[in-house]
Amino acid sequence: MASILSGKDFLSSPPKGVPPICVVFGQEVFFKHQVLRTLREQLIGQRDQELSFDRFEGPEADWSQVAQALWTLPMFGFGPRMVLVEEADSFVSRWREQLEQYVAKPCEKSVLVLEVTNWPSNTRLAKAAAALGWTIDCSPLRPAQIPGWLVAWARQNYQIHLDGEAAELLVDWVGAELGLLDQELQKLALAVGTNGRVLPEHVQQYSGCWRTKTVWEVLDAALAGHLPEALSYLDRLLLAGETPVGLFAQMSASLRRFAAATHKLLAAEAAGQRISLREALRQVGILPYFLDKAEAQLRRLGRARATQLYQWLLETDLALKGASALPPRLVLETLLMRLAAPPEAQPLPASGQAVANRPPP
């Protein structure tokens, strides 16, 4: 029954009839946890799990103990026994020969589950396990796959309709760690209720910790020219234990997009092509929900300062890593002062105003 499945596909539509050998491998911890939970629920369900489930820690596990558990029938004879070996990479290496013999003739009343990080498919054991049972690949998703997966996961597990733009914002806000994203979905599900629709404004209101929101507020205040407000937010973050290097990493992600959009505008000018500021922002990954605000912020920043963003970010990064005698806090404050300075005389073009045939500054 050769069967190699991705963790994402397995969780979206779990197959029935768990075979006597299952290998769960890869580096995506969230997928592995969910796959193991699904296997356990399919095999044991609501029965007394302590009577039908054995767990071993791979680095210390001995084959004789695992084999005894596999060949011991569940008490009272209800269904199969699940024997899980966690972190089993070293266990597989030590007991490969015994595992090959077992896979060739497994116990029909038990299911052996190996949870490993690496599982080369060209070994004799891997081929035999794939032919007899399930090999479930829990590799991390590519970044571009995560928003789509979130939409499907929210519908399947929490019965909510996650808007595509809201999913992108959630990833942008929280990061790519699936476990944290799942926790945010749980909060959103409570907020909108069963069959509710999650929009970007819900993500802004309910998702992310206050630190994440405050970093955005620092940038919003600075780009709006409200320097005292930006410095006040920065002070709150530093007093809460945030490091200047960590804060700069979050700020620079947004500012690099502004710098990239500016570069696109200048490249269009040099080539005599037409592109609007809004389109440039869209091309560098600004979500549609934020386009109006981002356009206003970049227009206020102005042409000359926008073209210096890459240089400012480089200088700030080097200064925070020891290239400057200024304290790290003053390094960040200097960047915020540059962003909050009054608008210049030559702004970037508005949304409906495309650039064309204008010499670069």
Side-chain angles (χ1 to χ4, degrees):
M1 99 174 38
S3 187
I4 301 179
L5 304 167
S6 73
K8 178 174 73 73
D9 293 340
F10 178 90
L11 292 171
S12 66
S13 182
K16 303 299 182 183
V18 182
I21 175 73
C22 296
V23 178
V24 182
F25 77 96
Q27 297 181 329
E28 180 47 69
V29 175
F30 178 78
F31 276 168
K32 292 170 83 171
H33 174 77
Q34 295 296 324
V35 166
L36 293 174
R37 187 181 73 173
T38 301
L39 290 173
R40 188 166 176 173
E41 289 176 351
Q42 283 201 18
L43 286 168
I44 303 172
Q46 301 302 317
R47 295 183 285 118
D48 191 337
Q49 298 196 4
E50 296 304 318
L51 301 179
S52 303
F53 178 75
D54 288 281
R55 177 190 287 111
F56 296 91
E57 296 181 3
E60 290 81 34
D62 184 87
W63 171 249
S64 62
Q65 298 172 314
V66 175
Q68 182 179 4
L70 288 167
W71 289 100
T72 300
L73 296 179
M75 190 173 293
F76 308 121
F78 294 128
R81 174 184 292 276
M82 178 175 170
V83 179
L84 169 64
V85 184
E86 297 179 318
E87 300 179 14
D89 294 77
S90 59
F91 175 82
V92 171
S93 298
R94 293 197 311 274
W95 305 105
R96 183 174 296 276
E97 182 178 350
Q98 288 82 351
L99 284 167
E100 290 173 352
Q101 294 173 0
Y102 177 80
V103 172
K105 193 175 182 180
C107 176
E108 297 181 357
K109 296 294 185 179
S110 297
V111 173
L112 172 62
V113 180
L114 300 173
E115 182 264 303
V116 294
T117 300
N118 300 302
W119 188 252
S121 60
N122 58 351
T123 66
R124 184 163 53 188
L125 177 59
K127 292 177 181 177
L132 177 69
W134 292 341
T135 302
I136 304 172
D137 181 359
C138 293
S139 298
L141 297 175
R142 297 190 302 274
Q145 293 178 300
I146 296 178
W149 171 80
L150 267 180
V151 172
W153 186 256
R155 184 171 56 250
Q156 176 184 346
N157 292 274
Y158 303 112
Q159 293 76 54
I160 57 176
H161 303 279
L162 181 64
D163 182 79
E165 191 175 327
E168 293 182 3
L169 176 58
L170 190 59
V171 175
D172 196 49
W173 195 293
V174 177
E177 187 174 337
L178 302 190
L180 292 178
L181 289 168
D182 179 68
Q183 292 178 20
E184 296 301 322
L185 286 180
Q186 294 179 44
K187 291 195 296 185
L188 290 166
L190 290 174
V192 303
T194 303
N195 293 321
R197 186 174 183 84
V198 178
L199 301 173
E201 46 264 38
H202 294 120
V203 175
Q204 280 194 296
Q205 182 176 359
Y206 298 110
S207 295
C209 65
W210 73 267
R211 288 180 172 86
T212 302
K213 296 177 180 178
T214 306
V215 171
W216 282 54
E217 289 170 337
V218 169
L219 273 184
D220 284 350
L223 290 168
H226 303 150
L227 182 59
E229 185 179 348
L231 295 178
S232 175
Y233 287 136
L234 177 63
D235 187 60
R236 287 180 57 193
L237 289 165
L238 292 173
L239 288 175
E242 294 293 318
T243 65
V245 172
L247 293 175
F248 174 68
Q250 297 177 66
M251 294 179 192
S252 63
S254 295
L255 295 175
R256 279 197 302 271
R257 289 179 178 172
F258 280 2
T262 304
H263 178 76
K264 284 185 174 294
L265 286 170
L266 296 178
E269 289 184 1
Q273 298 173 351
R274 299 179 63 84
I275 181 174
S276 68
L277 176 56
R278 191 178 189 86
E279 175 61 18
L281 288 166
R282 188 193 64 77
Q283 290 183 15
V284 299
I286 300 294
L287 297 177
Y289 183 74
F290 289 115
L291 279 175
D292 288 340
K293 181 173 76 172
E295 183 180 357
Q297 289 174 334
L298 191 50
R299 284 170 55 196
R300 183 196 174 277
L301 192 63
R303 180 186 180 85
R305 286 189 297 166
T307 59
Q308 297 181 72
L309 276 176
Y310 277 134
Q311 182 64 30
W312 290 351
L313 293 175
L314 177 60
E315 290 174 359
T316 304
D317 183 57
L318 292 175
L320 289 173
K321 293 176 179 177
S324 171
L326 289 175
R329 179 191 183 114
L330 290 182
V331 172
L332 282 186
E333 290 180 351
T334 299
L335 176 62
L336 295 178
M337 290 173 63
R338 285 171 160 174
L339 298 175
E344 59 191 63
Q346 187 183 16
L348 286 161
S351 176
Q353 180 183 353
V355 298
N357 300 322
R358 186 193 305 163

